[in-house]
Amino acid sequence: MRLFNALTLRSVLLRGIDLILINTLRYSLMSMSVPSEWLKVYDQLNKFFYPESVAIVGASSTPGKIGYEIFKNSIAEFKGRVYPVNPRAKEVLGFKAYPTVLDIPGKVDLAVIAIPAKVVPRVVEECGLKGVRNIVIISGGFKEVGGEGVKLEEEIVEIARRHGIRIIGPNCIGVFNSSNMFETFFQPRDRMIRSKEGKIAIVTQSGTIGAAFLEWAAMDGVGVSKLISFGNKCDVNEVDLLKYLALDDETKVIAFYLESLEVGREFLEVARRVVLKKPIVAFKGGKTSKSSKAVTSHTGRLAGKIEVLRGAFKQCGVIEARELINLYDMAKALALQPPAEGNRVCMVTNGAGGCIIAIDVFSEHGVELAELSEDTRRKLEESLPQYAIISNPVDLTGSATTSDFKAALEVLFQASEVDLVMPFYVLQDAPLGLDIIEVTAAIAKKHAKPIVCCMPGGPIVQEKARKLTRLGVPTYQTPESAALAAYALIAYGENVKRVSKILELLEDRS
Amino acid sequence: MRLFNALTLRSVLLRGIDLILINTLRYSLMSMSVPSEWLKVYDQLNKFFYPESVAIVGASSTPGKIGYEIFKNSIAEFKGRVYPVNPRAKEVLGFKAYPTVLDIPGKVDLAVIAIPAKVVPRVVEECGLKGVRNIVIISGGFKEVGGEGVKLEEEIVEIARRHGIRIIGPNCIGVFNSSNMFETFFQPRDRMIRSKEGKIAIVTQSGTIGAAFLEWAAMDGVGVSKLISFGNKCDVNEVDLLKYLALDDETKVIAFYLESLEVGREFLEVARRVVLKKPIVAFKGGKTSKSSKAVTSHTGRLAGKIEVLRGAFKQCGVIEARELINLYDMAKALALQPPAEGNRVCMVTNGAGGCIIAIDVFSEHGVELAELSEDTRRKLEESLPQYAIISNPVDLTGSATTSDFKAALEVLFQASEVDLVMPFYVLQDAPLGLDIIEVTAAIAKKHAKPIVCCMPGGPIVQEKARKLTRLGVPTYQTPESAALAAYALIAYGENVKRVSKILELLEDRS
């Protein structure tokens, strides 16, 4: 529990309080068991997300060019200073352009580089001389292409180390921060929507996967707190980001898309401390020998063995997503709902087809169907009409109305043998009123018990599903997505208990 | 090949040609190896989908009631005669109501029953006396509730047999036919959209799953030819429907959501003949002991062992869907694209993250990555810019334009070592023009080789993905969905070859 308080305190302190004050407080924070090294990393990385002044190297006036799109996006909503750097331009989109970073008057917190690979080392050197300590390299043409690219990547890492610079990338889309709308993306706003807020941080080795995740989250109104696409991750890696995001108060859930994990042991050590504060979900791309080959030409990395990774995930309480979509599905549930106290689910429905599919998923994941007590059964019988089948799932049949569901949900939320409530709504069925959305959200809000909802269908149903999600009840299109989201809430509850025990044992030993 | 011709001939003949003529032709059709029993079933079931006159028993004037919604939907777009039957109403929605089916003047092809279970036997008897030979029973309260319900179901089956009546249901949402917009659904149009056309027939034990499938297909512009929800399937079962749909010219692909399959042997015999003409995909709900229990209270059936079913599917060439969404994903690919000649896929992309995930799925399903020949590599090198990585996937990187993709697709469609072409578009990336949609569709149309596309993203991307799908290129949100759709096209190609051999062997033996 000490760790929780220390982290919260730290996060509170970082909002607008002087760095000197923080430094004087550091000792007491350390004694409260936040490793001082985490604080150092936090300070090093913070300017990636909260820069006051940014240089866009390669900023261009030609629409369609990556340097144009990045510059345009970076000034779209972000309120900090942004400088275009381009030796062949006087101005870009009305902003005075500078030939090099060194020509910019005043301080530069962050440089974003989008120029051919072979000139990147020179720019990194200039950044070092200018005192820039954070660089995002969007450009590709490094380790992922082999040969000369490998050398170029080594060169920029060497220069960065010498100057104390931290690098995100190369070969990535960089960062996005929904709290100040700072971004380094080259995806135009009329192609890709952004989220205005959100509690999920997505860390991804693939920009493509990051873009899809961001849009899925934005469409649902769930959003992301931060997105970090780190491509070849020549410097900043998943362990650095774990430490940073653990201390980032905007982030409640951390989601990883990983193709390789070279720092397995360190990841494990850090992740199991983070898990006590926030859930981590991960999806691994490149699980087989064939896909591993593709990983190397994608991000210049060696894909680790999935069995080894799974073992590590289990030990440190990271929840693995089965399919890419489940990475988002699970993160969404963990962002909106509390973890479950146990593994007993009760479903309630007006069309049991989806429940049957969910049960199959539960069986694979150690999720149990709650055995309803005599008391619960009696209460359900008293409050429900004749046509209801009192079982698990509670089947209210196609005749179910909003008030039938309301009655059933009230009973199930109060049943001590049920750890998670799962309505499967067939919203297409006329007897069920559309007010079921507001009714469900209101009941869920009254109780501390988690809820996950399944509601498959077309445009009308999907709009209502998004509404229910926005009201705080994670709602899904398929039974598999819903069942795995429920599993994530159960797994996180179990992981916190298990990891706490492991940490206690380790502390006793030392 | 004889079977194909016979079936096509049969389908042609059934459009507007006299039944007598058909009967005289039956002998020659039989000799062309369409089993005569299939033709009998076809005739028996055809009025479920193409009735000229329909009685809705339980039709009501009270909005929200199931009998109201069914009647309202049945007259919405269907052009045949529809009679409301309700002893307590003079008229329903302006249509004269009849106390019983017997009071209706003239012929009734089909009765749709939505009244309490206990009065259903009497109505079935009346239908028999009236000469009705097709009945859809929407009502629940039969085998799925046990006890008295089991007896009621036996009773209606006995009455139906005595009169030569075929029954769909009970405990279902019945049928939908997009070619004449006839339907027995109680889902209002402002909740559930319908498809105006389509080539996929979906046969489902769960109405809920059927509704979701229909809406997914309608949203995509893919649509369904027919939907059959048969619930407890007291009479018409999956074998009957297989025979019917094999001969239905509107249907190109048959998709099954099954919870139980009691007629396994017969299904196998029929399915392997059907597979030669049209692909069959299936998803099984109730794979485990726990979900099997739920199946019994859902549709009053015993869920079969999944291992046994899988063996049968394999033998007869039915493609099993891994998740519910893949049932639709696969059916969509099979409806829009030809089967693949072999199992070698080549991917092309401007963001390889999704390809890596697809390769993992391919590895599990025996799909190979095409090894590009020297000739193909040379052609790609000649037509692509420097930044392209010539491998499989062909990675055009974030700088890719529409013309880069156009050049790559032209080469890959013509490469004999590639059996299926798979573009993974990051449409969010600005260098790629939105005209990639039309360009892709045009190239695909020129070639006989199948194509499957992956394009994940938010509202803008999803709209373009639906457009590409409507232009005939099946396009998906997730790499797993796309990879499994590609697998379905490969599996169908292989299945036809394998099943042909099995049938040849069987014919040689007899």
Side-chain angles (χ1 to χ4, degrees):
Chain A
M1 285 307 291
R2 281 183 305 154
L3 180 59
F4 285 39
N5 298 336
L7 293 172
T8 309
L9 179 57
R10 167 76 184 169
S11 308
V12 169
L13 286 170
L14 278 168
R15 299 178 183 290
I17 295 187
D18 195 16
L19 197 72
I20 300 162
L21 178 59
I22 291 178
N23 278 326
T24 56
L25 278 166
R26 198 164 269 178
Y27 176 75
S28 55
L29 284 166
M30 274 165 63
S31 71
M32 284 154 83
S33 94
V34 175
S36 65
E37 204 264 333
W38 292 28
L39 301 176
K40 194 182 134 202
V41 171
Y42 186 95
D43 288 341
Q44 283 178 351
L45 303 193
N46 204 40
K47 292 291 186 208
F48 281 118
F49 307 100
Y50 298 93
E52 277 162 36
S53 52
V54 183
I56 312 288
V57 183
S60 156
S61 298
T62 314
K65 279 217 165 186
I66 283 178
Y68 169 87
E69 304 294 346
I70 294 176
F71 187 75
K72 195 178 168 200
N73 284 330
S74 72
I75 57 170
E77 293 179 72
F78 172 59
K79 300 291 176 226
R81 282 187 301 282
V82 185
Y83 304 104
V85 175
N86 186 334
R88 286 184 307 277
K90 286 235 154 122
E91 56 125 54
V92 175
L93 292 172
F95 286 67
K96 176 175 165 44
Y98 298 89
T100 73
V101 172
L102 289 165
D103 301 303
I104 296 172
K107 202 165 157 277
V108 174
D109 287 333
L110 172 68
V112 181
I113 300 180
I115 51 173
K118 61 179 188 296
V119 281
V120 171
R122 184 173 53 74
V123 172
V124 174
E125 182 65 48
E126 287 167 0
C127 285
L129 297 173
K130 175 71 184 170
V132 178
R133 292 295 169 261
N134 295 77
I135 298 180
V136 175
I137 305 176
I138 306 296
S139 324
F142 294 91
K143 202 168 182 179
E144 81 281 7
V145 297
E148 196 56 36
V150 178
K151 278 186 208 153
L152 277 173
E153 192 165 312
E154 284 166 1
E155 201 178 332
I156 57 170
V157 170
E158 185 277 317
I159 302 167
R161 293 266 150 84
R162 187 149 41 76
H163 288 287
I165 294 170
R166 301 302 314 256
I167 294 178
I168 286 180
N171 187 25
C172 69
I173 63 169
V175 301
F176 168 73
N177 178 0
S178 68
S179 71
N180 62 359
M181 293 308 275
F182 174 65
E183 62 172 77
T184 68
F185 293 164
F186 60 85
Q187 288 77 14
R189 281 176 155 64
D190 60 0
R191 294 281 186 96
M192 181 171 92
I193 60 169
R194 273 69 170 171
S195 68
K196 296 280 173 190
E197 57 191 343
K199 292 171 178 165
I200 306 168
I202 163 81
V203 179
T204 172
Q205 224 165 323
S206 154
T208 304
I209 303 297
F213 191 105
L214 170 64
E215 287 210 276
W216 293 338
M219 266 182 99
D220 252 353
V222 170
V224 306
S225 55
K226 293 179 173 63
L227 183 152
I228 304 103
S229 150
F230 55 9
N232 295 8
K233 49 180 178 178
C234 77
D235 175 34
V236 171
N237 65 17
E238 38 286 283
V239 173
D240 295 317
L241 289 165
L242 258 187
K243 290 172 186 167
Y244 180 81
L245 294 169
L247 296 168
D248 174 39
D249 216 32
E250 310 284 340
T251 297
K252 201 186 147 188
V253 182
I254 303 169
F256 278 99
Y257 170 75
L258 293 172
E259 290 177 358
S260 64
L261 185 66
E262 295 81 1
V263 286
R265 176 148 212 95
E266 216 190 331
F267 184 85
L268 191 149
E269 300 285 338
V270 175
R272 67 178 160 205
R273 288 188 178 268
V274 176
V275 161
L276 291 182
K277 196 179 182 218
K278 5 190 131 169
I280 305 173
V281 283
F283 178 86
K284 170 75 166 70
K287 295 189 177 95
T288 57
S289 57
K290 273 171 199 161
S291 53
S292 302
K293 226 180 95 188
V295 164
T296 306
S297 73
H298 182 221
T299 50
R301 291 283 166 170
L302 293 170
K305 289 234 166 173
I306 183 65
E307 297 76 17
V308 177
L309 201 69
R310 271 191 193 136
F313 282 171
K314 195 148 196 192
Q315 276 186 65
C316 61
V318 170
I319 301 164
E320 191 193 350
R322 182 160 89 171
E323 298 194 358
L324 178 62
I325 192 74
N326 306 131
L327 182 68
Y328 171 61
D329 293 337
M330 288 174 153
K332 167 170 144 181
L334 290 160
L336 299 178
Q337 288 290 312
E341 298 266 332
N343 70 343
R344 300 161 304 171
V345 168
C346 188
M347 296 180 281
V348 54
T349 189
N350 56 333
C355 301
I356 286 167
I357 299 172
I359 298 173
D360 285 335
V361 176
F362 289 154
S363 301
E364 286 172 47
H365 287 80
V367 175
E368 297 291 335
L369 296 186
E371 287 242 11
L372 300 184
S373 69
E374 273 313 306
D375 184 48
T376 302
R377 289 178 159 276
R378 193 180 35 76
K379 283 182 188 156
L380 287 171
E381 270 158 27
E382 279 167 16
S383 57
L384 293 175
Q386 271 277 297
Y387 49 72
I389 303 168
I390 313 292
S391 181
N392 186 356
V394 180
D395 189 349
L396 303 175
T397 80
S399 305
T401 62
T402 297
S403 67
D404 294 342
F405 270 112
K406 192 177 177 205
L409 287 173
E410 290 283 12
V411 174
L412 295 177
F413 265 112
Q414 285 172 46
S416 62
E417 72 274 26
V418 175
D419 298 309
L420 188 146
V421 179
M422 245 184 124
F424 282 67
Y425 295 135
V426 187
L427 201 69
Q428 295 95 333
D429 284 6
L432 181 60
L434 292 179
D435 56 344
I436 189 66
I437 304 302
E438 288 75 17
V439 165
T440 306
I443 299 174
K445 206 156 273 176
K446 281 197 305 182
H447 300 276
K449 197 174 282 182
I451 178 171
V452 166
C453 183
C454 183
M455 206 160 93
I460 305 138
V461 174
Q462 288 184 21
E463 195 211 306
K464 290 291 174 188
R466 279 195 287 271
K467 187 170 184 190
L468 187 49
T469 299
R470 258 181 237 114
L471 292 173
V473 177
T475 304
Y476 300 88
Q477 266 299 296
T478 72
E480 289 91 344
S481 277
L484 289 167
Y487 160 71
L489 292 173
I490 289 165
Y492 184 53
E494 285 170 357
N495 288 349
V496 169
K497 285 181 209 160
R498 204 181 59 244
V499 171
S500 301
K501 265 190 205 152
I502 294 175
L503 285 178
E504 265 171 43
L505 282 171
L506 289 174
E507 274 167 30
D508 285 352
R509 237 188 265 172
S510 63
Chain B
M1 284 310 290
R2 280 183 306 152
L3 180 59
F4 286 37
N5 298 337
L7 293 173
T8 309
L9 179 57
R10 166 73 185 171
S11 306
V12 169
L13 287 169
L14 278 167
R15 297 175 187 288
I17 295 187
D18 196 14
L19 197 71
I20 299 160
L21 178 59
I22 291 177
N23 278 326
T24 55
L25 278 165
R26 199 164 270 179
Y27 176 74
S28 53
L29 285 167
M30 276 164 61
S31 70
M32 284 154 81
S33 95
V34 175
S36 65
E37 203 265 332
W38 292 28
L39 301 176
K40 194 181 134 203
V41 171
Y42 186 95
D43 287 342
Q44 283 178 351
L45 303 194
N46 204 40
K47 292 291 186 207
F48 281 118
F49 307 101
Y50 298 93
E52 278 162 35
S53 52
V54 183
I56 312 287
V57 184
S60 155
S61 298
T62 314
K65 279 215 165 186
I66 283 177
Y68 168 88
E69 304 293 346
I70 295 176
F71 187 74
K72 195 177 166 201
N73 283 330
S74 72
I75 58 172
E77 294 179 73
F78 173 60
K79 301 290 177 224
R81 281 187 302 281
V82 185
Y83 304 104
V85 174
N86 184 336
R88 284 183 308 277
K90 285 235 154 122
E91 57 125 52
V92 174
L93 292 172
F95 285 68
K96 177 176 163 44
Y98 299 88
T100 73
V101 172
L102 290 164
D103 300 302
I104 296 171
K107 204 167 155 279
V108 174
D109 287 333
L110 171 68
V112 181
I113 300 180
I115 50 173
K118 63 180 189 297
V119 281
V120 171
R122 185 174 51 74
V123 172
V124 174
E125 182 67 49
E126 286 167 2
C127 285
L129 297 173
K130 175 71 185 170
V132 178
R133 291 296 168 260
N134 294 77
I135 298 180
V136 175
I137 305 177
I138 306 296
S139 324
F142 294 90
K143 202 168 180 179
E144 82 280 8
V145 296
E148 195 58 36
V150 179
K151 277 187 208 151
L152 276 172
E153 192 164 312
E154 284 166 3
E155 202 179 332
I156 57 171
V157 171
E158 185 276 318
I159 301 167
R161 295 266 150 85
R162 188 149 41 78
H163 289 286
I165 294 170
R166 299 303 311 257
I167 294 178
I168 285 180
N171 186 27
C172 69
I173 64 170
V175 301
F176 167 73
N177 179 359
S178 69
S179 71
N180 61 359
M181 292 307 275
F182 174 66
E183 62 172 78
T184 68
F185 293 164
F186 59 85
Q187 286 80 12
R189 280 174 156 65
D190 60 2
R191 295 279 186 98
M192 182 171 93
I193 61 170
R194 272 70 170 170
S195 68
K196 296 281 173 189
E197 57 191 346
K199 291 172 179 168
I200 307 167
I202 163 79
V203 179
T204 173
Q205 224 165 322
S206 155
T208 303
I209 303 297
F213 191 107
L214 169 64
E215 286 209 276
W216 293 337
M219 265 183 99
D220 251 353
V222 171
V224 305
S225 56
K226 293 180 174 65
L227 183 152
I228 305 103
S229 149
F230 54 8
N232 295 7
K233 48 181 177 177
C234 78
D235 175 35
V236 172
N237 64 18
E238 36 285 282
V239 173
D240 295 318
L241 290 164
L242 259 188
K243 292 171 185 167
Y244 179 82
L245 294 169
L247 297 167
D248 175 39
D249 216 32
E250 311 284 340
T251 297
K252 199 184 148 190
V253 183
I254 304 171
F256 278 101
Y257 170 75
L258 292 173
E259 291 177 358
S260 63
L261 185 66
E262 294 82 0
V263 285
R265 179 150 209 93
E266 216 189 333
F267 184 86
L268 191 149
E269 301 285 337
V270 176
R272 68 177 160 207
R273 287 189 177 268
V274 176
V275 161
L276 291 181
K277 200 184 178 213
K278 4 190 134 170
I280 305 175
V281 283
F283 179 86
K284 169 74 166 71
K287 295 187 175 97
T288 57
S289 58
K290 274 173 199 160
S291 54
S292 301
K293 227 181 95 188
V295 164
T296 306
S297 72
H298 183 220
T299 50
R301 291 282 167 172
L302 292 172
K305 288 235 166 173
I306 183 65
E307 296 77 16
V308 177
L309 201 67
R310 271 192 191 134
F313 282 171
K314 196 149 196 191
Q315 277 187 64
C316 60
V318 170
I319 301 164
E320 191 193 350
R322 181 161 89 169
E323 297 193 0
L324 178 61
I325 192 73
N326 306 129
L327 181 69
Y328 170 61
D329 293 337
M330 289 174 152
K332 168 170 144 180
L334 291 159
L336 299 178
Q337 289 290 311
E341 298 267 331
N343 69 344
R344 299 161 305 171
V345 168
C346 187
M347 296 180 281
V348 53
T349 189
N350 56 334
C355 301
I356 286 169
I357 300 173
I359 299 172
D360 285 334
V361 175
F362 290 154
S363 300
E364 287 171 45
H365 288 79
V367 176
E368 297 291 335
L369 296 187
E371 288 243 11
L372 300 184
S373 70
E374 273 313 305
D375 185 48
T376 302
R377 287 178 160 276
R378 193 180 36 75
K379 283 183 189 156
L380 286 171
E381 269 157 28
E382 279 167 17
S383 57
L384 292 175
Q386 270 277 296
Y387 50 71
I389 303 169
I390 313 293
S391 181
N392 186 356
V394 180
D395 189 349
L396 304 175
T397 79
S399 305
T401 62
T402 297
S403 67
D404 295 341
F405 270 112
K406 192 177 177 207
L409 288 172
E410 291 283 11
V411 175
L412 296 177
F413 266 112
Q414 285 172 46
S416 63
E417 71 273 26
V418 175
D419 299 308
L420 188 145
V421 179
M422 245 184 125
F424 281 68
Y425 295 136
V426 187
L427 202 69
Q428 295 95 334
D429 284 6
L432 180 60
L434 291 178
D435 56 343
I436 189 66
I437 304 302
E438 288 75 16
V439 166
T440 307
I443 299 174
K445 207 157 271 174
K446 281 196 306 184
H447 299 276
K449 198 175 283 182
I451 178 172
V452 166
C453 183
C454 183
M455 206 161 91
I460 304 138
V461 175
Q462 288 184 21
E463 196 212 305
K464 291 292 173 186
R466 280 194 287 269
K467 187 169 183 193
L468 187 49
T469 299
R470 257 181 236 114
L471 291 172
V473 177
T475 305
Y476 300 88
Q477 266 299 297
T478 72
E480 290 91 344
S481 278
L484 289 167
Y487 160 70
L489 293 173
I490 290 166
Y492 184 53
E494 285 171 357
N495 287 349
V496 169
K497 286 180 207 159
R498 204 181 59 243
V499 171
S500 301
K501 266 191 203 149
I502 294 176
L503 285 177
E504 265 172 41
L505 281 172
L506 288 174
E507 273 168 31
D508 284 353
R509 236 188 265 171
S510 65

